[in-house]
Amino acid sequence: MTEALNSALEPALVDEALKQLQTIHDWLRWGVSQLNNADIYFGHGTDNSWDEAGILLASCLHLNRLTDNILPTRITGTEARAYCELLAARIEQRIPAAYLTHHAYFCGLSFYVDERVLVPRSPIGELIQRRFTPWFAEKAPRRILDLCTGSGCIAIACAKQFPAAEVDAVDISEEALDVAIHNIEMHGLEHQVVPILSDGYEALSGMTYDLIVTNPPYVDAEDMADLPAEFHHEPELGLASGADGLELTRRILAGAAAQLNDGGWLICEVGNSMAALDQLYPELPLEWLEFEQGGHGVFAISKADLVAHQALFN
């Protein structure tokens, strides 16, 4: 383990802060300094220490977020101690902030999360907010499948964006589906989003969709061994996918045509495994997408192209 990973929030440092710091702004700045000193990894909802400290502090204050007008106000000793406990867990155990607060945002929507599911962070969110233009610019999808749904964030965001659509939220993990069901109910979408326990398409015989959107596990064996400590709090089932990171993606591609309606599309995230996928299927006309808000490794492919190249998957 690295020296940074062994770093701790020293009791003497906490005692000094409790005696001298008064305002929310004081504690926010102090928290940022502790996170910077610990040299932790960001990437589970934030990319910097200021936002990370703000998320933890807002949670202790029972606020959605910290605003400029509230920063000069004072904090109680109870709130400050709760904040220090969260900071200590973040620094010493490398637990992502979303798991400490049980809260994450995706597509501007609030979700409950814990260590049964990955922390929502897919660039697919940008496609949802664009209503999957250009593929569905003229006609909105009426049947949507979110494969490997996890927390249900993609399924729920799709349902919000397309209120007339029926959305199936599929996962192999019963524990993950329990979290998805909680979020479906929290957003009042029980009538529109259906959770389904299934290993890939196995439980979906005879069911077809206009759009399949999926963020499956895609981390290869080499990258799994090198992941920062924060990722090891996430379920390995949601990250690892064989030696090349494409174990599940190959199955998704092979079965997608049978699950898509004519004119349908598959949109799939494979992250850093995009080069391996291009190498595996050089003839497959994958459309690699670009994102204004950051992210990579997401492709789109039509049912027609999947049917035309089905022999590649056999």
Side-chain angles (χ1 to χ4, degrees), residues 22-49:
Q22 296 182 338
T23 69
I24 292 175
H25 206 163
D26 289 341
W27 280 100
L28 178 59
R29 194 283 309 159
W30 184 81
V32 169
S33 296
Q34 306 318 308
L35 293 173
N36 286 341
N37 184 57
D39 192 29
I40 65 173
Y41 174 83
F42 301 105
H44 292 84
T46 73
D47 59 7
N48 63 85
S49 57

PDB file of all heavy atoms in Angstrom, residues 22-49:
ATOM      1  N   GLN A  22     -15.234  27.832  12.544  1.00  0.00           N
ATOM      2  CA  GLN A  22     -16.583  28.239  12.943  1.00  0.00           C
ATOM      3  C   GLN A  22     -17.612  28.121  11.819  1.00  0.00           C
ATOM      4  O   GLN A  22     -18.688  27.565  12.019  1.00  0.00           O
ATOM      5  CB  GLN A  22     -16.557  29.689  13.468  1.00  0.00           C
ATOM      6  CG  GLN A  22     -15.737  29.885  14.723  1.00  0.00           C
ATOM      7  CD  GLN A  22     -15.791  31.308  15.226  1.00  0.00           C
ATOM      8  OE1 GLN A  22     -16.095  32.244  14.468  1.00  0.00           O
ATOM      9  NE2 GLN A  22     -15.518  31.504  16.507  1.00  0.00           N
ATOM     10  N   THR A  23     -17.303  28.637  10.649  1.00  0.00           N
ATOM     11  CA  THR A  23     -18.298  28.718   9.581  1.00  0.00           C
ATOM     12  C   THR A  23     -18.244  27.505   8.654  1.00  0.00           C
ATOM     13  O   THR A  23     -17.261  26.755   8.630  1.00  0.00           O
ATOM     14  CB  THR A  23     -18.108  29.991   8.741  1.00  0.00           C
ATOM     15  OG1 THR A  23     -16.886  29.868   7.990  1.00  0.00           O
ATOM     16  CG2 THR A  23     -18.064  31.232   9.618  1.00  0.00           C
ATOM     17  N   ILE A  24     -19.304  27.361   7.878  1.00  0.00           N
ATOM     18  CA  ILE A  24     -19.325  26.316   6.850  1.00  0.00           C
ATOM     19  C   ILE A  24     -18.159  26.492   5.893  1.00  0.00           C
ATOM     20  O   ILE A  24     -17.508  25.522   5.489  1.00  0.00           O
ATOM     21  CB  ILE A  24     -20.672  26.344   6.101  1.00  0.00           C
ATOM     22  CG1 ILE A  24     -21.803  25.911   7.046  1.00  0.00           C
ATOM     23  CG2 ILE A  24     -20.638  25.432   4.872  1.00  0.00           C
ATOM     24  CD1 ILE A  24     -23.182  26.027   6.438  1.00  0.00           C
ATOM     25  N   HIS A  25     -17.859  27.756   5.558  1.00  0.00           N
ATOM     26  CA  HIS A  25     -16.743  28.025   4.655  1.00  0.00           C
ATOM     27  C   HIS A  25     -15.423  27.578   5.275  1.00  0.00           C
ATOM     28  O   HIS A  25     -14.562  27.013   4.593  1.00  0.00           O
ATOM     29  CB  HIS A  25     -16.689  29.511   4.307  1.00  0.00           C
ATOM     30  CG  HIS A  25     -16.043  29.789   2.992  1.00  0.00           C
ATOM     31  ND1 HIS A  25     -16.188  30.977   2.323  1.00  0.00           N
ATOM     32  CD2 HIS A  25     -15.239  29.023   2.202  1.00  0.00           C
ATOM     33  CE1 HIS A  25     -15.512  30.932   1.184  1.00  0.00           C
ATOM     34  NE2 HIS A  25     -14.923  29.759   1.096  1.00  0.00           N
ATOM     35  N   ASP A  26     -15.255  27.831   6.579  1.00  0.00           N
ATOM     36  CA  ASP A  26     -14.052  27.378   7.283  1.00  0.00           C
ATOM     37  C   ASP A  26     -13.878  25.856   7.139  1.00  0.00           C
ATOM     38  O   ASP A  26     -12.801  25.357   6.801  1.00  0.00           O
ATOM     39  CB  ASP A  26     -14.144  27.697   8.777  1.00  0.00           C
ATOM     40  CG  ASP A  26     -14.015  29.174   9.093  1.00  0.00           C
ATOM     41  OD1 ASP A  26     -13.506  29.932   8.240  1.00  0.00           O
ATOM     42  OD2 ASP A  26     -14.437  29.574  10.189  1.00  0.00           O
ATOM     43  N   TRP A  27     -14.954  25.138   7.425  1.00  0.00           N
ATOM     44  CA  TRP A  27     -14.882  23.677   7.416  1.00  0.00           C
ATOM     45  C   TRP A  27     -14.732  23.126   6.000  1.00  0.00           C
ATOM     46  O   TRP A  27     -14.060  22.109   5.785  1.00  0.00           O
ATOM     47  CB  TRP A  27     -16.112  23.091   8.095  1.00  0.00           C
ATOM     48  CG  TRP A  27     -15.993  23.126   9.585  1.00  0.00           C
ATOM     49  CD1 TRP A  27     -16.540  24.035  10.444  1.00  0.00           C
ATOM     50  CD2 TRP A  27     -15.243  22.220  10.385  1.00  0.00           C
ATOM     51  NE1 TRP A  27     -16.188  23.755  11.734  1.00  0.00           N
ATOM     52  CE2 TRP A  27     -15.387  22.638  11.731  1.00  0.00           C
ATOM     53  CE3 TRP A  27     -14.463  21.095  10.112  1.00  0.00           C
ATOM     54  CZ2 TRP A  27     -14.780  21.967  12.790  1.00  0.00           C
ATOM     55  CZ3 TRP A  27     -13.868  20.423  11.172  1.00  0.00           C
ATOM     56  CH2 TRP A  27     -14.025  20.859  12.485  1.00  0.00           C
ATOM     57  N   LEU A  28     -15.346  23.803   5.026  1.00  0.00           N
ATOM     58  CA  LEU A  28     -15.191  23.375   3.638  1.00  0.00           C
ATOM     59  C   LEU A  28     -13.736  23.499   3.215  1.00  0.00           C
ATOM     60  O   LEU A  28     -13.157  22.568   2.648  1.00  0.00           O
ATOM     61  CB  LEU A  28     -16.092  24.215   2.727  1.00  0.00           C
ATOM     62  CG  LEU A  28     -16.015  23.923   1.224  1.00  0.00           C
ATOM     63  CD1 LEU A  28     -16.378  22.472   0.932  1.00  0.00           C
ATOM     64  CD2 LEU A  28     -16.929  24.866   0.453  1.00  0.00           C
ATOM     65  N   ARG A  29     -13.123  24.642   3.498  1.00  0.00           N
ATOM     66  CA  ARG A  29     -11.720  24.850   3.141  1.00  0.00           C
ATOM     67  C   ARG A  29     -10.823  23.828   3.837  1.00  0.00           C
ATOM     68  O   ARG A  29      -9.917  23.256   3.241  1.00  0.00           O
ATOM     69  CB  ARG A  29     -11.310  26.278   3.514  1.00  0.00           C
ATOM     70  CG  ARG A  29      -9.987  26.759   2.895  1.00  0.00           C
ATOM     71  CD  ARG A  29      -8.754  26.213   3.575  1.00  0.00           C
ATOM     72  NE  ARG A  29      -8.803  26.402   5.014  1.00  0.00           N
ATOM     73  CZ  ARG A  29      -8.064  25.670   5.873  1.00  0.00           C
ATOM     74  NH1 ARG A  29      -7.268  24.714   5.421  1.00  0.00           N
ATOM     75  NH2 ARG A  29      -8.158  25.885   7.175  1.00  0.00           N
ATOM     76  N   TRP A  30     -11.096  23.577   5.120  1.00  0.00           N
ATOM     77  CA  TRP A  30     -10.297  22.618   5.879  1.00  0.00           C
ATOM     78  C   TRP A  30     -10.416  21.210   5.288  1.00  0.00           C
ATOM     79  O   TRP A  30      -9.420  20.497   5.144  1.00  0.00           O
ATOM     80  CB  TRP A  30     -10.757  22.628   7.336  1.00  0.00           C
ATOM     81  CG  TRP A  30      -9.959  21.753   8.251  1.00  0.00           C
ATOM     82  CD1 TRP A  30      -8.752  22.034   8.826  1.00  0.00           C
ATOM     83  CD2 TRP A  30     -10.332  20.451   8.723  1.00  0.00           C
ATOM     84  NE1 TRP A  30      -8.351  20.996   9.629  1.00  0.00           N
ATOM     85  CE2 TRP A  30      -9.300  20.003   9.589  1.00  0.00           C
ATOM     86  CE3 TRP A  30     -11.436  19.629   8.515  1.00  0.00           C
ATOM     87  CZ2 TRP A  30      -9.344  18.772  10.224  1.00  0.00           C
ATOM     88  CZ3 TRP A  30     -11.481  18.393   9.149  1.00  0.00           C
ATOM     89  CH2 TRP A  30     -10.440  17.969   9.996  1.00  0.00           C
ATOM     90  N   GLY A  31     -11.625  20.836   4.927  1.00  0.00           N
ATOM     91  CA  GLY A  31     -11.831  19.521   4.327  1.00  0.00           C
ATOM     92  C   GLY A  31     -11.101  19.374   3.004  1.00  0.00           C
ATOM     93  O   GLY A  31     -10.514  18.323   2.711  1.00  0.00           O
ATOM     94  N   VAL A  32     -11.118  20.434   2.192  1.00  0.00           N
ATOM     95  CA  VAL A  32     -10.398  20.420   0.917  1.00  0.00           C
ATOM     96  C   VAL A  32      -8.908  20.190   1.164  1.00  0.00           C
ATOM     97  O   VAL A  32      -8.250  19.397   0.477  1.00  0.00           O
ATOM     98  CB  VAL A  32     -10.631  21.738   0.147  1.00  0.00           C
ATOM     99  CG1 VAL A  32      -9.686  21.844  -1.049  1.00  0.00           C
ATOM    100  CG2 VAL A  32     -12.077  21.832  -0.322  1.00  0.00           C
ATOM    101  N   SER A  33      -8.364  20.860   2.161  1.00  0.00           N
ATOM    102  CA  SER A  33      -6.942  20.712   2.487  1.00  0.00           C
ATOM    103  C   SER A  33      -6.613  19.282   2.900  1.00  0.00           C
ATOM    104  O   SER A  33      -5.578  18.730   2.505  1.00  0.00           O
ATOM    105  CB  SER A  33      -6.542  21.681   3.602  1.00  0.00           C
ATOM    106  OG  SER A  33      -6.687  23.018   3.177  1.00  0.00           O
ATOM    107  N   GLN A  34      -7.491  18.664   3.708  1.00  0.00           N
ATOM    108  CA  GLN A  34      -7.237  17.293   4.144  1.00  0.00           C
ATOM    109  C   GLN A  34      -7.289  16.321   2.955  1.00  0.00           C
ATOM    110  O   GLN A  34      -6.467  15.403   2.862  1.00  0.00           O
ATOM    111  CB  GLN A  34      -8.249  16.872   5.214  1.00  0.00           C
ATOM    112  CG  GLN A  34      -8.355  17.801   6.406  1.00  0.00           C
ATOM    113  CD  GLN A  34      -7.023  18.307   6.904  1.00  0.00           C
ATOM    114  OE1 GLN A  34      -6.098  17.526   7.167  1.00  0.00           O
ATOM    115  NE2 GLN A  34      -6.902  19.623   7.035  1.00  0.00           N
ATOM    116  N   LEU A  35      -8.241  16.519   2.057  1.00  0.00           N
ATOM    117  CA  LEU A  35      -8.332  15.649   0.885  1.00  0.00           C
ATOM    118  C   LEU A  35      -7.124  15.823  -0.022  1.00  0.00           C
ATOM    119  O   LEU A  35      -6.575  14.841  -0.548  1.00  0.00           O
ATOM    120  CB  LEU A  35      -9.621  15.943   0.112  1.00  0.00           C
ATOM    121  CG  LEU A  35     -10.933  15.577   0.819  1.00  0.00           C
ATOM    122  CD1 LEU A  35     -12.125  16.083   0.024  1.00  0.00           C
ATOM    123  CD2 LEU A  35     -11.039  14.076   1.042  1.00  0.00           C
ATOM    124  N   ASN A  36      -6.694  17.062  -0.213  1.00  0.00           N
ATOM    125  CA  ASN A  36      -5.517  17.311  -1.046  1.00  0.00           C
ATOM    126  C   ASN A  36      -4.279  16.679  -0.434  1.00  0.00           C
ATOM    127  O   ASN A  36      -3.435  16.103  -1.135  1.00  0.00           O
ATOM    128  CB  ASN A  36      -5.301  18.811  -1.220  1.00  0.00           C
ATOM    129  CG  ASN A  36      -6.293  19.445  -2.171  1.00  0.00           C
ATOM    130  OD1 ASN A  36      -6.925  18.755  -2.966  1.00  0.00           O
ATOM    131  ND2 ASN A  36      -6.450  20.750  -2.089  1.00  0.00           N
ATOM    132  N   ASN A  37      -4.148  16.771   0.864  1.00  0.00           N
ATOM    133  CA  ASN A  37      -2.990  16.203   1.553  1.00  0.00           C
ATOM    134  C   ASN A  37      -2.962  14.688   1.452  1.00  0.00           C
ATOM    135  O   ASN A  37      -1.904  14.064   1.401  1.00  0.00           O
ATOM    136  CB  ASN A  37      -2.993  16.622   3.028  1.00  0.00           C
ATOM    137  CG  ASN A  37      -1.777  16.136   3.769  1.00  0.00           C
ATOM    138  OD1 ASN A  37      -0.644  16.442   3.385  1.00  0.00           O
ATOM    139  ND2 ASN A  37      -1.979  15.375   4.837  1.00  0.00           N
ATOM    140  N   ALA A  38      -4.160  14.079   1.402  1.00  0.00           N
ATOM    141  CA  ALA A  38      -4.245  12.619   1.336  1.00  0.00           C
ATOM    142  C   ALA A  38      -4.031  12.085  -0.070  1.00  0.00           C
ATOM    143  O   ALA A  38      -3.818  10.890  -0.264  1.00  0.00           O
ATOM    144  CB  ALA A  38      -5.601  12.156   1.861  1.00  0.00           C
ATOM    145  N   ASP A  39      -4.120  12.953  -1.074  1.00  0.00           N
ATOM    146  CA  ASP A  39      -3.885  12.556  -2.464  1.00  0.00           C
ATOM    147  C   ASP A  39      -4.784  11.400  -2.880  1.00  0.00           C
ATOM    148  O   ASP A  39      -4.343  10.389  -3.419  1.00  0.00           O
ATOM    149  CB  ASP A  39      -2.414  12.175  -2.671  1.00  0.00           C
ATOM    150  CG  ASP A  39      -2.051  12.037  -4.147  1.00  0.00           C
ATOM    151  OD1 ASP A  39      -2.689  12.725  -4.975  1.00  0.00           O
ATOM    152  OD2 ASP A  39      -1.144  11.243  -4.476  1.00  0.00           O
ATOM    153  N   ILE A  40      -6.091  11.541  -2.612  1.00  0.00           N
ATOM    154  CA  ILE A  40      -7.039  10.472  -2.942  1.00  0.00           C
ATOM    155  C   ILE A  40      -7.421  10.536  -4.417  1.00  0.00           C
ATOM    156  O   ILE A  40      -7.123  11.505  -5.121  1.00  0.00           O
ATOM    157  CB  ILE A  40      -8.306  10.559  -2.068  1.00  0.00           C
ATOM    158  CG1 ILE A  40      -9.079  11.838  -2.360  1.00  0.00           C
ATOM    159  CG2 ILE A  40      -7.965  10.445  -0.599  1.00  0.00           C
ATOM    160  CD1 ILE A  40     -10.416  11.893  -1.661  1.00  0.00           C
ATOM    161  N   TYR A  41      -8.105   9.488  -4.885  1.00  0.00           N
ATOM    162  CA  TYR A  41      -8.562   9.419  -6.275  1.00  0.00           C
ATOM    163  C   TYR A  41      -9.991   9.944  -6.381  1.00  0.00           C
ATOM    164  O   TYR A  41     -10.858   9.559  -5.607  1.00  0.00           O
ATOM    165  CB  TYR A  41      -8.509   7.982  -6.795  1.00  0.00           C
ATOM    166  CG  TYR A  41      -9.115   7.837  -8.168  1.00  0.00           C
ATOM    167  CD1 TYR A  41      -8.372   8.121  -9.309  1.00  0.00           C
ATOM    168  CD2 TYR A  41     -10.443   7.450  -8.331  1.00  0.00           C
ATOM    169  CE1 TYR A  41      -8.927   8.015 -10.570  1.00  0.00           C
ATOM    170  CE2 TYR A  41     -11.009   7.335  -9.587  1.00  0.00           C
ATOM    171  CZ  TYR A  41     -10.235   7.627 -10.702  1.00  0.00           C
ATOM    172  OH  TYR A  41     -10.812   7.526 -11.944  1.00  0.00           O
ATOM    173  N   PHE A  42     -10.204  10.835  -7.348  1.00  0.00           N
ATOM    174  CA  PHE A  42     -11.560  11.314  -7.642  1.00  0.00           C
ATOM    175  C   PHE A  42     -12.051  10.653  -8.927  1.00  0.00           C
ATOM    176  O   PHE A  42     -11.265  10.279  -9.791  1.00  0.00           O
ATOM    177  CB  PHE A  42     -11.558  12.836  -7.814  1.00  0.00           C
ATOM    178  CG  PHE A  42     -11.061  13.583  -6.611  1.00  0.00           C
ATOM    179  CD1 PHE A  42      -9.794  14.147  -6.600  1.00  0.00           C
ATOM    180  CD2 PHE A  42     -11.839  13.695  -5.475  1.00  0.00           C
ATOM    181  CE1 PHE A  42      -9.324  14.819  -5.488  1.00  0.00           C
ATOM    182  CE2 PHE A  42     -11.378  14.362  -4.354  1.00  0.00           C
ATOM    183  CZ  PHE A  42     -10.109  14.927  -4.361  1.00  0.00           C
ATOM    184  N   GLY A  43     -13.345  10.540  -9.079  1.00  0.00           N
ATOM    185  CA  GLY A  43     -13.879   9.943 -10.296  1.00  0.00           C
ATOM    186  C   GLY A  43     -15.188   9.209 -10.081  1.00  0.00           C
ATOM    187  O   GLY A  43     -15.678   8.534 -10.974  1.00  0.00           O
ATOM    188  N   HIS A  44     -15.760   9.325  -8.889  1.00  0.00           N
ATOM    189  CA  HIS A  44     -17.050   8.703  -8.605  1.00  0.00           C
ATOM    190  C   HIS A  44     -18.098   9.786  -8.343  1.00  0.00           C
ATOM    191  O   HIS A  44     -18.762   9.800  -7.312  1.00  0.00           O
ATOM    192  CB  HIS A  44     -16.946   7.761  -7.415  1.00  0.00           C
ATOM    193  CG  HIS A  44     -16.126   6.543  -7.687  1.00  0.00           C
ATOM    194  ND1 HIS A  44     -14.754   6.529  -7.571  1.00  0.00           N
ATOM    195  CD2 HIS A  44     -16.488   5.293  -8.092  1.00  0.00           C
ATOM    196  CE1 HIS A  44     -14.303   5.329  -7.884  1.00  0.00           C
ATOM    197  NE2 HIS A  44     -15.337   4.557  -8.205  1.00  0.00           N
ATOM    198  N   GLY A  45     -18.200  10.709  -9.280  1.00  0.00           N
ATOM    199  CA  GLY A  45     -19.182  11.783  -9.148  1.00  0.00           C
ATOM    200  C   GLY A  45     -18.558  13.156  -9.100  1.00  0.00           C
ATOM    201  O   GLY A  45     -19.218  14.149  -9.389  1.00  0.00           O
ATOM    202  N   THR A  46     -17.280  13.245  -8.728  1.00  0.00           N
ATOM    203  CA  THR A  46     -16.569  14.518  -8.739  1.00  0.00           C
ATOM    204  C   THR A  46     -15.186  14.297  -9.341  1.00  0.00           C
ATOM    205  O   THR A  46     -14.721  13.159  -9.486  1.00  0.00           O
ATOM    206  CB  THR A  46     -16.386  15.110  -7.328  1.00  0.00           C
ATOM    207  OG1 THR A  46     -15.401  14.346  -6.625  1.00  0.00           O
ATOM    208  CG2 THR A  46     -17.692  15.093  -6.543  1.00  0.00           C
ATOM    209  N   ASP A  47     -14.523  15.408  -9.662  1.00  0.00           N
ATOM    210  CA  ASP A  47     -13.154  15.296 -10.176  1.00  0.00           C
ATOM    211  C   ASP A  47     -12.197  16.220  -9.429  1.00  0.00           C
ATOM    212  O   ASP A  47     -11.092  16.492  -9.904  1.00  0.00           O
ATOM    213  CB  ASP A  47     -13.103  15.585 -11.682  1.00  0.00           C
ATOM    214  CG  ASP A  47     -13.614  16.979 -12.032  1.00  0.00           C
ATOM    215  OD1 ASP A  47     -13.896  17.776 -11.108  1.00  0.00           O
ATOM    216  OD2 ASP A  47     -13.728  17.278 -13.236  1.00  0.00           O
ATOM    217  N   ASN A  48     -12.620  16.716  -8.252  1.00  0.00           N
ATOM    218  CA  ASN A  48     -11.771  17.640  -7.504  1.00  0.00           C
ATOM    219  C   ASN A  48     -12.146  17.629  -6.026  1.00  0.00           C
ATOM    220  O   ASN A  48     -13.244  17.224  -5.642  1.00  0.00           O
ATOM    221  CB  ASN A  48     -11.887  19.059  -8.074  1.00  0.00           C
ATOM    222  CG  ASN A  48     -13.283  19.617  -7.932  1.00  0.00           C
ATOM    223  OD1 ASN A  48     -13.648  20.172  -6.893  1.00  0.00           O
ATOM    224  ND2 ASN A  48     -14.106  19.456  -8.975  1.00  0.00           N
ATOM    225  N   SER A  49     -11.209  18.088  -5.206  1.00  0.00           N
ATOM    226  CA  SER A  49     -11.386  18.029  -3.751  1.00  0.00           C
ATOM    227  C   SER A  49     -12.443  19.002  -3.249  1.00  0.00           C
ATOM    228  O   SER A  49     -13.107  18.736  -2.239  1.00  0.00           O
ATOM    229  CB  SER A  49     -10.049  18.308  -3.055  1.00  0.00           C
ATOM    230  OG  SER A  49      -9.521  19.567  -3.454  1.00  0.00           O
TER     231      SER A  49
END
